[in-house]
């Protein structure tokens, strides 16, 4: 409950800051870039975005050097750190600094507090210095983290349909498997999922889950990943049967759940040749209640039109994935579409994400989060429901223990397991018993 109150203050403060901030396309703003702070050029002057930022080692924050007076800003390498969207977002969210500090003063057991912006930057309190990986790259993108995704989207029912016909052999199958895994990683406890493979026949990768959806918790996601790894190609791709089966299952599960649910089919294939229009006529039109997202795998574009058509006629999104490197970014696209329904309702639901951690500044930080979405309150954006980002904070272990009855015991075990792991790897001190 305390975390909830602190988060709400952060979310409201970010929304107000945005409300009173007018976008300035020529804005110049020398913010504290976590990658550049305390960096001098050969003349002994601080580089742009790299001003002096006092850091002090702090027991409470994994023994890292931190600045408890200010937050610092991380921007992934593939986002331009002086883009006007970034500069405006960082500028307006400076208002969070006071709230971070005040929250921490009110509850010194609080740990990391942060704001992941939809524009791509990550404001972390207390401020830290960020170290790139061995290739000089900062890959961490808050928008891809589970806490961000879970807070930014409403609960989803997803069926992943993968083509395992003969033409999908080799690299295509590898890309398809990676795409499935990446989709699975965007799901959490509030979502339901199944994975169907098809060639001449339709088969559930887990036959025990036939005809239903299962909770997309960590156990089930890992289970699916293992089974997907074993998929092999053969035969001809009969997409129609697989789509029919998917619609049938989604229709059935939605009976009890009402209209709140957000349903989608993710079709992964290198092309669809049949005359499949009648499937959509029978199951999804005219309401188009189920969105269909299509991922065309491989370099060949012969069947691109068909695959595009399926997505466009079912309120989905078409993407072409030709290399493994394309997967992450293309999969994330679907979230922008699925996030809208909740954004319009302006739910300030608090999201508990599963225990996990991130590798930051060369050591492991606990990033088990409670998170809350932040929306624009500007008049002109209200009807579109613009998501500004997600605020989050880590839950102190004590509080998690107190809430344990409400939280799943299996997750608590994972949490504790990870904590022990972090302490072992992070500090190289003997195992502590909590
Ligand atoms: C926009 O930012 C620039 C540079 O910081 C500043 O000179 C200008 O006055 C700002 N414009 C408005 C309308 O605030």
């Amino acid at each position: 409950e305390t975390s909830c109150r602190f988060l709400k203050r952060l979310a409201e403060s970010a929304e107000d800051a945005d409300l009173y901030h007018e976008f300035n396309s020529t804005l110049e703003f020398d913010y504290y870039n976590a990658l550049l702070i305390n960096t001098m050029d050969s003349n002994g002057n601080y580089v742009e975005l790299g001003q002096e930022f006092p850091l002090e080692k702090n027991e409470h924050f994994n023994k890292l050097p931190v600045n408890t007076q200010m937050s610092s800003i991380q921007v992934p390498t593939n986002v331009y750190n002086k883009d006007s969207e970034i500069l405006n977002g960082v500028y307006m969210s400076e208002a969070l600094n006071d709230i971070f500090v005040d929250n921490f003063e009110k509850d010194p057991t609080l740990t990391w507090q942060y704001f992941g912006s939809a524009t791509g930057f990550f404001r972390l309190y207390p401020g830290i210095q960020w170290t790139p990986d061995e290739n000089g790259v900062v890959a961490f993108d808050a928008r891809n983290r589970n806490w961000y995704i879970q807070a930014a989207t409403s609960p989803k029912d997803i069926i992943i349909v993968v083509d395992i016909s003969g033409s999908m052999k080799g690299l295509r199958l590898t890309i398809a498997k990676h795409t499935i895994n990446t989709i699975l990683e965007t799901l959490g406890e509030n979502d339901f999922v199944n994975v169907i493979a098809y060639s001449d026949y339709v088969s559930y990768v887990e036959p025990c889950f036939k005809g239903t959806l299962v909770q997309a918790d960590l156990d089930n996601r890992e289970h699916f990943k293992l089974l997907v790894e074993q998929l092999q190609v053969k035969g001809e791709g009969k997409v129609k049967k697989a789509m029919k089966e998917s619609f049938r299952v989604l229709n059935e599960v939605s009976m009890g759940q009402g209209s709140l649910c957000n349903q989608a089919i993710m079709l992964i294939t290198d092309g669809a040749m049949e005359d499949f229009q009648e499937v959509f006529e029978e199951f999804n039109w005219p309401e188009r209640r189920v969105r269909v997202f299509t991922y065309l795998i491989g370099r060949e574009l012969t069947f691109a039109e068909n695959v595009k058509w399926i997505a466009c006629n079912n309120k989905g999104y078409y993407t072409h994935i030709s290399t493994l490197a394309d997967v992450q970014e293309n999969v994330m696209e679907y979230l922008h579409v699925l996030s809208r329904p909740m954004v319009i309702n302006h739910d300030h639901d608090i999201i508990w994400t599963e225990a996990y951690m991130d590798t930051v500044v060369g050591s492991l930080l606990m990033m088990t989060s409670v998170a809350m979405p932040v929306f624009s309150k500007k008049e002109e954006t209200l009807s579109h429901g613009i998501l500004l980002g997600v605020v989050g904070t880590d839950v102190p272990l004590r509080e998690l223990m107190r809430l344990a009855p409400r939280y799943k015991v299996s997750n608590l075990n994972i949490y504790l397991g990870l904590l022990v792991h972090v302490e072992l790897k992070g500090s190289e001190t003997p195992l502590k018993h909590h």
Side-chain angles (χ1 to χ4, degrees):
E1 261 124 355
T2 44
S3 308
C4 187
R5 189 152 42 84
F6 292 133
L7 270 187
K8 223 172 190 153
R9 292 184 70 199
L10 287 172
E12 282 167 5
S13 156
E15 286 177 354
D16 285 342
D18 170 73
L19 182 61
Y20 300 114
H21 173 74
E22 208 164 303
F23 188 85
N24 179 349
S25 58
T26 59
L27 180 68
E28 284 166 36
F29 182 54
D30 204 12
Y31 63 88
Y32 293 105
N33 184 302
L35 196 67
L36 299 170
I37 45 171
N38 301 328
T39 311
M40 283 185 187
D41 61 17
S42 51
N43 299 325
N45 300 316
Y46 286 113
V47 301
E48 225 182 344
L49 309 182
Q51 307 153 71
E52 184 179 10
F53 191 81
L55 294 166
E56 208 176 317
K57 207 168 152 176
N58 191 313
E59 288 288 324
H60 186 62
F61 293 97
N62 305 52
K63 301 194 176 69
L64 285 172
V66 300
N67 183 327
T68 52
Q69 299 307 307
M70 267 178 291
S71 55
S72 59
I73 304 288
Q74 177 267 354
V75 182
T77 302
N78 63 0
V79 175
Y80 177 43
N81 61 21
K82 284 173 70 184
D83 184 280
S84 64
E85 295 278 349
I86 297 284
L87 290 180
N88 277 271
V90 170
Y91 180 79
M92 72 88 182
S93 66
E94 285 282 291
L96 292 176
N97 269 325
D98 288 347
I99 314 291
F100 287 143
V101 173
D102 194 55
N103 280 347
F104 187 45
E105 273 170 10
K106 289 205 167 83
D107 182 359
T109 68
L110 268 181
T111 57
W112 307 93
Q113 303 175 60
Y114 36 89
F115 171 57
S117 164
T119 61
F121 69 86
F122 179 59
R123 183 183 281 281
L124 179 64
Y125 172 88
I128 58 163
Q129 179 133 30
W130 207 285
T131 324
D133 68 16
E134 62 269 24
N135 303 315
V137 173
V138 178
F140 178 94
D141 189 330
R143 296 168 300 180
N144 297 346
R145 311 314 303 185
N146 204 271
W147 54 267
Y148 186 100
I149 295 168
Q150 292 305 307
T153 61
S154 44
K156 306 173 276 300
D157 293 341
I158 301 271
I159 295 192
I160 303 171
V161 178
V162 60
D163 182 350
I164 51 163
S165 65
S167 63
M168 288 287 288
K169 70 174 182 297
L171 182 61
R172 288 183 186 179
L173 188 64
T174 308
I175 295 174
K177 287 176 178 176
H178 189 49
T179 304
I180 298 172
N181 288 347
T182 308
I183 295 171
L184 286 171
E185 276 161 26
T186 66
L187 304 178
E189 302 216 308
N190 300 320
D191 305 312
F192 285 81
V193 67
N194 208 336
V195 184
I196 291 178
Y198 72 92
S199 54
D200 296 298
Y201 303 96
V202 174
S203 61
Y204 285 82
V205 298
E206 171 51 273
C208 299
F209 297 160
K210 186 171 188 228
T212 185
L213 295 177
V214 294
Q215 193 182 17
D217 57 16
L218 193 58
D219 281 353
N220 283 334
R221 295 199 312 261
E222 292 304 316
H223 185 63
F224 276 129
K225 284 184 196 174
L226 287 178
L227 295 167
V228 163
E229 197 41 52
Q230 293 160 17
L231 287 175
Q232 287 178 349
V233 300
K234 111 168 171 228
E236 239 180 279
K238 303 269 171 65
V239 69
K240 225 155 94 177
K241 284 190 214 161
M243 296 304 283
K244 266 188 191 168
E245 179 69 13
S246 307
F247 280 120
R248 205 182 54 71
V249 172
L250 288 174
N251 277 336
E252 224 158 79
V253 298
S254 70
M255 294 299 178
Q257 293 176 18
S259 57
L260 270 179
C261 55
N262 211 355
Q263 296 193 320
I265 296 172
M266 321 298 262
L267 175 63
I268 302 165
T269 178
D270 62 348
M273 283 174 293
E274 292 162 273
D275 178 19
F276 35 68
Q277 184 164 330
E278 64 184 66
V279 181
F280 303 109
E281 277 168 3
E282 183 180 350
F283 291 95
N284 208 32
W285 295 353
E287 300 90 354
R288 294 172 167 79
R289 208 174 42 76
V290 178
R291 292 178 191 266
V292 184
F293 295 86
T294 53
Y295 298 91
L296 184 72
I297 306 294
R299 297 202 181 273
E300 217 186 312
L301 288 169
T302 322
F303 304 110
E305 285 309 315
N306 283 350
V307 176
K308 217 181 267 182
W309 182 94
I310 294 176
C312 293
N313 286 286
N314 293 282
K315 286 164 74 180
Y317 200 97
Y318 156 83
T319 35
H320 177 213
I321 303 183
S322 57
T323 69
L324 274 175
D326 290 345
V327 172
Q328 179 83 26
E329 208 177 318
N330 283 320
V331 164
M332 291 301 156
E333 286 294 339
Y334 96 87
L335 293 165
H336 301 306
V337 179
L338 283 196
S339 73
R340 277 176 209 149
M342 186 189 69
V343 170
I344 287 168
N345 294 335
H346 284 241
D347 289 343
H348 263 163
D349 282 349
I350 196 158
I351 307 293
W352 289 70
T353 61
E354 294 147 18
Y356 75 102
M357 54 197 175
D358 273 303
T359 315
V360 179
V361 288
S363 82
L364 294 166
L365 289 188
M366 285 293 299
M367 284 290 178
T368 300
S369 318
V370 279
M372 191 181 274
V374 178
F375 302 109
S376 173
K377 293 203 290 191
K378 285 187 171 147
E379 196 82 16
E380 69 269 26
T381 60
L382 276 179
S383 60
H384 313 299
I386 301 289
L387 177 79
L388 297 175
V390 174
V391 288
T393 181
D394 290 3
V395 189
L397 185 63
R398 218 174 316 133
E399 186 169 356
L400 192 73
M401 297 290 265
R402 207 160 46 72
L403 294 171
R406 274 172 42 199
Y407 204 56
K408 278 202 199 54
V409 173
S410 66
N411 285 319
L412 186 66
N413 286 338
I414 294 168
Y415 187 100
L416 292 172
L418 287 182
L419 188 78
V420 167
H421 186 63
V422 167
E423 294 207 342
L424 273 177
K425 290 195 77 162
S427 62
E428 285 172 327
T429 50
L431 188 70
K432 285 194 201 115
H433 292 281
H434 290 272

